[in-house]
Amino acid sequence: MLPQPVKTHVPSIFQLIISLIGLVTSVMAVVFLWFMLRLGGSMQMLVETSDRQVRLFMWLTLVIALVSVPSLIVSIRRLARLPQKPVKRQSLLLIASIAFLVLIPLVFMCYQYPALLDSALGQVVFTTLAVAVPLWWFVELGSYKLRRGSLQRFWGLINFEVFAGMPLIIFFEVLAIAAVMIVGGVWLVNQVDFIPLLMTLQTQLMIDPQDLSILSEQASQIFQKPGVMVTGLLVIVILIPLVEEIFKPLALWFFIKKQWSPAEGFSAGLICGAAFALVESLTAVVSVTQDNWLPTLIARVGTGLLHILASGLTGWALVSAWRDRKFIRLAITYLVSALLHGTWNFFAILYGLDNTGISLISPDAVIVKISPWILGVLIVGMLGTLIFMNKKMQDSTTPSIIPSLPVETIG
């Protein structure tokens, strides 16, 4: 009987391609930002504030590029048929917990001495640690004692989420928002206030195209209309959660296998959610001023927990639907995840009402006053749900013990 040829692992090929694309595009973006800095410095195109922002995003893009390296290495090793090293995960939760505890005084020290973050590189490196460590702890807590697969699967999920899932999420979000804007544009044209604005724009472009201050004042009045503001709120609270909760666990749609257990789907979803939250939180924290660095960082911890839990639940429901045909569970879980996401967004907006310019709700309203407490309750509830689901997954994967027969019946 002839020996069977060894088949090439096709998922590893896709993982290698995505890793290379992510690495190349990220490095190209870093080079482009570097040229912007050089060009801005020589031609005085960038003021000091924007110059710092460009530096921050240049180093941040480089950090994101490094995410592709471990995935690149493990996929090459798999295609080269090199042995896969087992990963010992028994103590990872303990290590993550210690790292989390060590991080707290370091963050407080940076808050007390903001000069420590004066360097753009230093701010990006420390922000990456401050964002990644809590996310790591949440993933370890949720997947404690659960089967998560190989190290290649771990980095493959992260790599796919960062370089494939997030671009698709952004694309469909932009597409959905563009559709809303088109419908809103049709509504705006029929508004009485729009004709004077259009005439002002035409006159101002002929007189002084560079001075649009009057136009911006009139436009702000239109955007303060209740209908416009409610539409924007619905986009953030309903549309964006619906889009994100579909595409965050996108890797599972492609690589899920029938032999996966629901616990593996749950763990894989946690990893996808953490990868999404990592990039989103890093971008958000780096974008703010140093005065708002700590409040934004603390807020993103709760948002990271939200993304991790929601994607974990969807991953669990996806495997259940794939294996056991439980599609109703998948639909309900998806709606619950989107509802949780939308609820968090709503109260987060209320909490930051002073900075949003929303005048629909008075800052003195009761719902605004209690919004930080509701966010706190949501965090405690999400953390409790994460622990509960971990316990549930452990119980479902633990084989039942067969009771021994009485001695007199053996023989």
Side-chain angles (χ1 to χ4, degrees):
M1 186 174 181
L2 295 176
Q4 296 293 325
V6 180
K7 295 182 178 180
T8 302
H9 192 240
V10 177
S12 295
I13 297 177
F14 285 107
Q15 184 176 349
L16 178 63
I17 293 173
I18 295 174
S19 303
L20 287 173
I21 292 174
L23 180 61
V24 172
T25 54
S26 299
V27 171
M28 289 175 62
V30 170
V31 173
F32 172 75
L33 292 172
W34 181 81
F35 272 113
M36 280 189 62
L37 285 172
R38 303 302 296 178
L39 187 63
S42 60
M43 301 181 61
Q44 297 183 350
M45 294 175 59
L46 298 174
V47 296
E48 183 178 352
T49 303
S50 59
D51 179 87
R52 177 176 175 79
Q53 286 297 111
V54 173
R55 291 182 184 275
L56 287 171
F57 278 101
M58 182 184 71
W59 290 117
L60 177 60
T61 306
L62 184 60
V63 168
I64 294 175
L66 295 177
V67 173
S68 65
V69 175
S71 180
L72 194 65
I73 293 173
V74 294
S75 59
I76 291 175
R77 288 181 60 87
R78 178 65 179 269
L79 292 172
R81 299 184 178 89
L82 296 175
Q84 302 290 318
K85 296 181 180 180
V87 181
K88 297 180 180 180
R89 296 194 175 96
Q90 290 79 359
S91 59
L92 285 181
L93 179 58
L94 177 62
I95 297 173
S97 301
I98 294 173
F100 203 164
L101 293 175
V102 172
L103 180 67
I104 295 174
L106 291 178
V107 171
F108 180 75
M109 184 174 63
C110 288
Y111 172 71
Q112 292 292 325
Y113 304 99
L116 296 172
L117 301 177
D118 284 346
S119 167
L121 175 59
Q123 181 176 344
V124 168
V125 170
F126 187 76
T127 300
T128 302
L129 291 175
V131 169
V133 169
L135 297 176
W136 177 32
W137 186 75
F138 290 140
V139 171
E140 294 299 335
L141 181 65
S143 58
Y144 181 62
K145 292 185 178 180
L146 299 183
R147 183 180 177 185
R148 293 190 297 186
S150 64
L151 189 65
Q152 181 182 4
R153 180 191 295 181
F154 175 82
W155 284 110
L157 290 170
I158 294 178
N159 194 71
F160 190 95
E161 183 66 33
V162 172
F163 298 113
M166 288 207 71
L168 280 175
I169 289 174
I170 294 172
F171 171 77
F172 282 105
E173 284 182 346
V174 170
L175 203 64
I177 293 173
V180 173
M181 291 180 66
I182 291 173
V183 175
V186 174
W187 171 82
L188 189 61
V189 170
N190 295 320
Q191 297 300 303
V192 178
D193 297 340
F194 182 75
I195 297 176
L197 178 63
L198 189 61
M199 295 178 63
T200 302
L201 174 61
Q202 183 179 3
T203 305
Q204 191 65 32
L205 288 175
M206 291 187 297
I207 297 174
D208 187 2
Q210 296 181 352
D211 185 13
L212 298 178
S213 57
I214 299 177
L215 177 67
S216 62
E217 292 176 3
Q218 294 186 7
S220 63
Q221 295 177 2
I222 291 181
F223 288 115
Q224 287 288 334
K225 284 182 173 294
V228 176
M229 299 179 69
V230 168
T231 301
L233 192 62
L234 291 177
V235 167
I236 297 174
V237 173
I238 297 178
L239 186 61
I240 289 179
L242 288 174
V243 173
E244 289 187 356
E245 296 311 325
I246 287 180
F247 290 102
K248 272 193 302 180
L250 186 63
L252 275 69
W253 291 88
F254 287 94
F255 301 113
I256 197 171
K257 297 180 180 179
K258 286 189 176 181
Q259 61 265 34
W260 277 25
S261 66
E264 287 180 282
F266 181 70
S267 298
L270 297 179
I271 297 170
C272 291
F276 178 89
L278 176 66
V279 178
E280 186 186 63
S281 297
L282 284 177
T283 305
V285 176
V286 167
S287 301
V288 300
T289 61
Q290 286 183 302
D291 295 337
N292 295 321
W293 181 83
L294 182 60
T296 306
L297 179 65
I298 295 174
R300 297 308 302 185
V301 173
T303 306
L305 174 59
L306 164 73
H307 288 308
I308 289 172
L309 175 62
S311 296
L313 292 174
T314 306
W316 162 70
L318 275 171
V319 175
S320 298
W322 185 264
R323 284 186 47 174
D324 306 323
R325 320 298 293 178
K326 295 182 178 180
F327 295 106
I328 296 179
R329 172 186 290 182
L330 176 59
I332 294 175
T333 304
Y334 165 67
L335 293 176
V336 168
S337 299
L339 178 62
L340 177 63
H341 193 163
T343 303
W344 176 271
N345 285 357
F346 176 73
F347 286 103
I349 290 173
L350 292 185
Y351 179 62
L353 194 61
D354 293 337
N355 299 322
T356 58
I358 296 177
S359 58
L360 278 174
I361 305 174
S362 171
D364 297 326
V366 175
I367 193 172
V368 176
K369 295 294 185 182
I370 66 173
S371 59
W373 296 99
I374 295 178
L375 290 174
V377 170
L378 286 175
I379 290 176
V380 174
M382 289 188 294
L383 194 60
T385 304
L386 186 67
I387 297 173
F388 170 79
M389 287 299 297
N390 173 264
K391 178 62 176 174
K392 178 182 177 66
M393 295 297 102
Q394 287 186 42
D395 294 340
S396 65
T397 55
T398 303
S400 58
I401 301 175
I402 303 175
S404 55
L405 295 174
V407 177
E408 58 270 14
T409 61
I410 300 177

